[in-house]
């Protein structure tokens, strides 16, 4: 078990005092990478019964697998996927975040980490659950960044626990394959948009982009961007899109599965772009892409590195949800994405209602 504790400061929050969802995501990933890297460097025997690792990573031509039977080769865990994350309640300036991480499943080349986030009022000592998240990591050799190494197995409390973990592993693997096509879509960067000529509540009006040069402070041991840094930038862009659409205080409500399609190295330029895809009466969905431009040493065309859907809600001064202006779709692609977002919204709502009935 790994726990990170930190007080929330003004620079962690928006102008209303609500802590940015990206700040929480970054802390979640920091806890995950610490516990998974420690685990992957245990001097243990590896399991030979697990399935193969993430197909997108392991089938990439620049990777080959290490078939060693002990963890003698030092490695670092790299984030490959974050499952859907719900923000159960906003965290505020002055509260203390308790981020606890636990390894719950290992396959041959991947580690599942489950994380809980609690917010503590340090004046009263009262704590409340704000987030649950599941993250998947792969281990890369410290000597050769293109080598994916095997990871030590964990001891399960029961065969049932192991079987449930295997099902989660297979489910996320299938989802990564299905959502890989999304990374082939394109969002043209929205720089210096003339919003005086754009119609409010349209996709083009709120669409936003951020260009960031990857520096040493953004990177982990391999000189590649930490997953939490990328997610924080994605949340910032999504928040700008949401704020431009409704012009009120907004907070992150949930994040769909985040898939990391390729590594982002130091010195690269990343373009984080977000666009509104769907609005309901009380929520709005923003699609976010991260494109990477390897400007140093290896000139290439831009490639999509990360994709995700962020859901935001608008709050009044008392923290109650406000109505969301309806998104005005103009093109056939915008109408198609709106219907796809509506389907995701209804499916999520149905799952939430089914879960609530199950708990009763």
């Amino acid at each position: 078990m790994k726990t990170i504790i930190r007080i929330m400061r003004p620079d962690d929050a928006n102008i209303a005092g609500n802590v940015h969802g990206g700040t929480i995501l970054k802390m979640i990933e920091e806890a995950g990478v610490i516990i998974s890297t420690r685990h992957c460097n245990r001097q243990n025997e590896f399991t030979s019964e697990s399935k193969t690792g993430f197909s997108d990573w392991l089938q990439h031509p620049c990777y080959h697998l290490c078939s060693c039977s002990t963890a003698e080769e030092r490695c670092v865990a790299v984030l490959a996927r974050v499952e859907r994350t719900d923000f159960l309640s906003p965290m505020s300036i002055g509260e203390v975040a308790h981020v606890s991480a636990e390894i719950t499943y290992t396959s041959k080349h991947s580690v599942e980490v489950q994380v809980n986030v609690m917010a503590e009022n340090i004046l009263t000592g009262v704590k409340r659950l704000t987030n649950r998240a599941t993250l998947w990591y792969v281990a890369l050799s410290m000597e050769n960044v293109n080598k994916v190494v095997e990871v030590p197995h964990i001891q399960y409390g029961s065969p049932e626990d192991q079987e449930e973990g295997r099902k989660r592993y297979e489910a996320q693997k299938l989802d990564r394959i299905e959502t890989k096509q999304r990374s082939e879509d394109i969002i043209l960067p929205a720089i210096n948009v003339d919003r005086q000529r754009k119609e409010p509540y349209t996709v083009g009006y709120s669409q936003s982009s951020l260009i960031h040069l990857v520096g040493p402070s953004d990177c982990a041991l391999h000189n590649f961007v930490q997953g939490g840094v990328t997610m924080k930038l994605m949340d910032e862009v999504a928040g700008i899109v949401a704020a431009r659409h409704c012009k009120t205080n907004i907070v992150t409500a949930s994040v769909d599965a985040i898939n990391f399609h390729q590594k982002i190295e130091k010195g690269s330029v990343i373009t984080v772009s977000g666009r509104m895809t769907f609005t309901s009466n009380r929520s709005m969905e923003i699609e976010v892409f991260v494109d990477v431009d390897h400007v140093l040493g290896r000139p290439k065309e831009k490639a999509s590195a990360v994709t995700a859907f962020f859901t935001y809600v608008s709050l009044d001064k008392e923290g109650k949800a406000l109505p969301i202006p309806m998104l005005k779709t103009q093109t056939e692609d915008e109408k198609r994405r709106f219907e796809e977002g509506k389907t995701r919204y209804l499916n999520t709502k149905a799952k939430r209602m089914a879960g609530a009935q199950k708990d009763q």
Side-chain angles (χ1 to χ4, degrees), residues 280-291:
S280 67
N281 292 332
R282 300 286 179 178
S283 65
M284 46 195 151
E285 180 191 75
I286 296 99
E287 185 176 24
V288 183
F289 285 61
V290 179
D291 295 326

Side-chain angles (χ1 to χ4, degrees), residues 38-47 68-74 150-155:
R38 283 177 174 169
H39 174 79
C40 291
N41 285 283
R42 289 171 49 197
Q43 301 298 317
N44 254 359
E45 291 186 356
F46 292 93
T47 177
C68 52
S69 59
T70 63
E72 295 176 356
E73 184 171 12
R74 294 301 177 187
E150 296 181 16
V151 301
H153 67 273
I154 63 171
Q155 298 297 323

Side-chain angles (χ1 to χ4, degrees), residues 14-15 21 25 28 37 57-60 94-95 115 143 151 158 164 188 259 263 282 314 342:
N14 62 19
I15 57 176
L25 290 171
I28 287 173
T37 297
W57 286 71
L58 306 185
Q59 293 177 10
H60 194 282
E95 291 189 307
V115 181
E143 298 178 0
V151 301
S158 67
E164 287 300 316
L188 295 177
N259 292 298
K263 305 187 299 298
R282 300 286 179 178
S314 174
K342 183 178 180 179

